[in-house]
Amino acid sequence: MSTRNQPKNLLRLGVFFQGVNSGTVWKTPEAGSQTDFESFRRLIQTAERGIFSAFFLGEGLRLREHLGQIHDLDVAGRPDAQTLLAALAAVTNRIGLVATQNTTYNDPADMAHRLASLDLISGGRAAWNIVTTDNAWTGANFRRGGYLDHADRYTHAEAFVATAKRIWDSWGREDIAANGSQSAWFAGNAPKPVEHTGKHYNISYTSRLPRSAQIRPVLFQAGDSAEGRDFAARQADVIFSAHGGLEAAKVFRADITARTLKAGRPASAVKIMPGSEFILAATESEAEEKHRWVREQQIGPQQALAYLEQFWGESLAGLDPEGPLPDFDPKISESDVTRGSGFQGAKAVELTRSWRESAKDQGLNILEFVRGKSGRVGGSFVGSYARVADTLERYAESGAVDGFNITPWLIPSGLDDIVNHLVPELQERGVYPTHYAGDTLRENLGLEDPTDVAPAVTDEDNTRYEVAV
């Protein structure tokens, strides 16, 4: 056992099953189905064996397009998150179940009921990753194209989330009969209706479900704009951040702590788990060889040209993938949402000119350049089990993060190296749990009881009310 000083905090791990993406290796014989239940079962049970806190599902409301057509190089076919998590709740016991769900194209009472249902039947393991996708291109799928102005997405989302919280909190802890000796099912006060009148919807709703073992679902959020960070500081329990490098993570932590305190919540109320990628092996040389293999599988000649086409806005099929980047400017000046959230809003002309210069300076061809851009910025950990564990120990000691949300590059075996080799190294260093702290997700993330920290919130009409507790 290590004799090193006790670190400031334990790290937690989550796993992000993307379902729709370009980074999952799917052409190798080791790859399994992206849609069969068996893949999800195998991955989540591996994660639970490794004492992971959460299993995280993304959401895709429309298939990504490429030059006006369905992007046929992407992995796609993601099942509904809440349906899938309900099934996975039956084959797991402790791991949290995180569903990404949109506030723009759902209704708060219905969403609150469905998430509370998952929370109740899983014994208090449900979580909601709140997203605000509002563009007309996605909205066309819901007959609501362009109905919500982009500037209103967070005020709308905040009213939505505050309403959901009021619905969850409208039942007391002991409002139902504990046993058959009581004279009525409602042992305490009957739930009161939740009223909301706002710009986008009016609600008079009486919740149909009692509280779960963790009071209400845990809330995740990933917005990185100033508005998104303030929203998370006011409403979220966990941030799925994009700041995985240690120095960037320290800066992000300081910023979120300041915003959380300003929102009237304790500094530790919001946990931070950056998105990350792990490529591991027994030795450094083996890990480097695996890293090269993964990038070659992720980015072949087709993918490299398609990546550049997202920004150039036209077919580059005539270019040699082993040649230089295009010597002409893109047809478009700014990439749009049809290319996916990772590309949306990029200043294409300015960006591609800097890429051309960078690739020339480094002597990189198209294939090498695009492969070099793969992986998570600052959140890619490549190396031997021992060296990566040493690196993560420094993260734990710094207090910059509370853990990592890992995106496997291979399904369903992408966590095997982490659970079999990295987790024991982290446990030996005292920076990773050796058992689950409790039965609920809130307990296993070290979160406070929400009834003890409920803040005042503001609805979308700027009238104030207190969250019912």
Side-chain angles (χ1 to χ4, degrees):
M1 183 68 69
S2 171
T3 59
R4 302 175 192 188
N5 293 332
Q6 185 69 23
K8 292 181 179 177
N9 66 328
L10 292 176
L11 297 175
R12 275 89 175 180
L13 296 179
V15 55
F16 178 28
F17 193 126
Q18 295 186 91
V20 175
N21 67 96
S22 58
T24 302
V25 174
W26 59 273
K27 290 187 176 180
T28 180
E30 294 87 349
S33 169
Q34 302 292 313
T35 56
D36 286 356
F37 182 74
E38 176 59 19
S39 291
F40 295 95
R41 185 203 60 76
R42 162 84 189 281
L43 192 70
I44 195 170
Q45 290 184 337
T46 301
E48 191 167 61
R49 180 166 60 82
I51 318 175
F52 276 42
S53 295
F55 182 82
F56 190 110
L57 291 177
E59 180 185 56
L61 299 178
R62 184 165 176 164
L63 293 177
R64 195 157 67 96
E65 294 181 3
H66 181 66
L67 303 180
Q69 303 294 323
I70 298 296
H71 192 5
D72 59 7
L73 299 176
D74 269 3
V75 167
R78 180 163 35 201
D80 173 70
Q82 291 190 49
T83 304
L84 187 53
L85 292 175
L88 292 171
V91 297
T92 53
N93 295 299
R94 300 291 185 87
I95 192 168
L97 308 163
V98 189
T100 299
Q101 302 282 272
N102 185 280
T103 55
T104 302
Y105 307 114
N106 284 293
D107 293 311
D110 177 59
M111 176 74 82
H113 182 75
R114 286 188 285 120
L115 286 168
S117 299
L118 179 62
D119 208 24
L120 205 57
I121 66 172
S122 67
R125 294 190 283 140
W128 172 19
N129 179 41
I130 306 161
V131 294
T132 62
T133 307
D134 60 276
N135 61 80
W137 180 73
T138 301
N141 276 357
F142 303 92
R143 296 184 296 172
R144 292 183 178 181
Y147 96 101
L148 181 65
D149 190 279
H150 187 67
D152 292 338
R153 71 191 192 284
Y154 278 118
T155 55
H156 176 274
E158 190 132 24
F160 189 115
V161 173
T163 302
K165 284 183 175 179
R166 293 172 66 208
I167 291 170
W168 293 327
D169 291 341
S170 63
W171 287 63
R173 286 176 181 266
E174 298 175 352
D175 276 355
I176 59 174
N179 54 61
S181 66
Q182 296 184 237
S183 59
W185 176 253
F186 284 106
N189 297 320
K192 297 178 181 178
V194 171
E195 309 282 348
H196 173 84
T197 300
K199 180 178 178 181
H200 300 286
Y201 51 82
N202 302 324
I203 288 174
S204 177
Y205 177 79
T206 302
S207 174
R208 294 163 283 163
L209 289 175
R211 288 182 166 182
S212 74
Q214 64 171 352
I215 311 299
R216 65 188 186 211
V218 172
L219 301 183
F220 281 64
Q221 215 273 329
D224 200 37
S225 65
E227 287 177 303
R229 292 184 185 196
D230 280 337
F231 175 75
R234 288 192 296 268
Q235 300 290 356
D237 299 304
V238 184
I239 296 179
F240 177 15
S241 90
H243 304 278
L246 184 55
E247 294 309 312
K250 290 178 181 177
V251 172
F252 186 73
R253 164 73 81 187
D255 182 71
I256 292 300
T257 297
R259 292 173 192 267
T260 304
L261 291 170
K262 186 178 178 181
R265 303 176 68 192
S268 61
V270 182
K271 307 299 183 186
I272 300 174
M273 299 177 71
S276 58
E277 171 195 59
F278 287 78
I279 301 176
L280 308 171
T283 67
E284 290 299 306
S285 60
E286 289 173 354
E288 284 302 324
E289 179 59 31
K290 183 184 284 188
H291 183 212
R292 281 192 291 274
W293 181 85
V294 170
R295 293 291 180 259
E296 288 171 0
Q297 298 301 310
Q298 291 173 322
I299 308 293
Q302 279 182 292
Q303 287 85 0
L305 289 176
Y307 182 86
L308 296 187
E309 288 168 350
Q310 316 276 354
F311 299 92
W312 260 265
E314 63 178 299
S315 173
L316 301 176
L319 296 184
D320 179 1
E322 297 187 2
L325 268 66
D327 59 1
F328 49 88
D329 285 338
K331 280 187 173 180
I332 57 172
S333 59
E334 184 171 320
S335 60
D336 65 32
V337 70
T338 68
R339 294 166 175 81
S341 58
F343 307 95
Q344 186 177 2
K347 305 297 182 185
V349 173
E350 179 181 320
L351 184 67
T352 55
R353 286 177 179 173
S354 71
W355 283 357
R356 192 183 302 127
E357 185 175 340
S358 175
K360 182 178 180 181
D361 289 345
Q362 297 177 70
L364 301 177
N365 61 37
I366 289 174
L367 201 49
E368 293 166 334
F369 180 80
V370 175
R371 283 175 179 164
K373 294 188 67 61
S374 299
R376 291 187 172 272
V377 177
S380 289
F381 298 93
V382 179
S384 67
Y385 309 123
R387 189 176 69 78
V388 171
D390 286 341
T391 300
L392 296 189
E393 184 179 20
R394 291 194 288 276
Y395 276 77
E397 290 172 340
S398 75
V401 302
D402 296 288
F404 295 91
N405 203 16
I406 300 169
T407 301
W409 44 266
L410 190 64
I411 298 295
S413 59
L415 293 183
D416 290 0
D417 279 349
I418 296 168
V419 169
N420 294 338
H421 302 289
L422 180 62
V423 163
E425 293 274 0
L426 294 173
Q427 289 171 329
E428 184 178 347
R429 289 161 175 77
V431 297
Y432 192 78
T434 56
H435 59 277
Y436 280 107
D439 294 328
T440 71
L441 176 57
R442 197 170 293 279
E443 290 174 295
N444 292 320
L445 288 172
L447 292 167
E448 297 179 46
D449 185 332
T451 58
D452 295 329
V453 296
V457 295
T458 303
D459 74 6
E460 59 188 323
D461 288 337
N462 295 320
T463 57
R464 295 185 67 78
Y465 54 80
E466 301 294 322
V467 173
V469 296

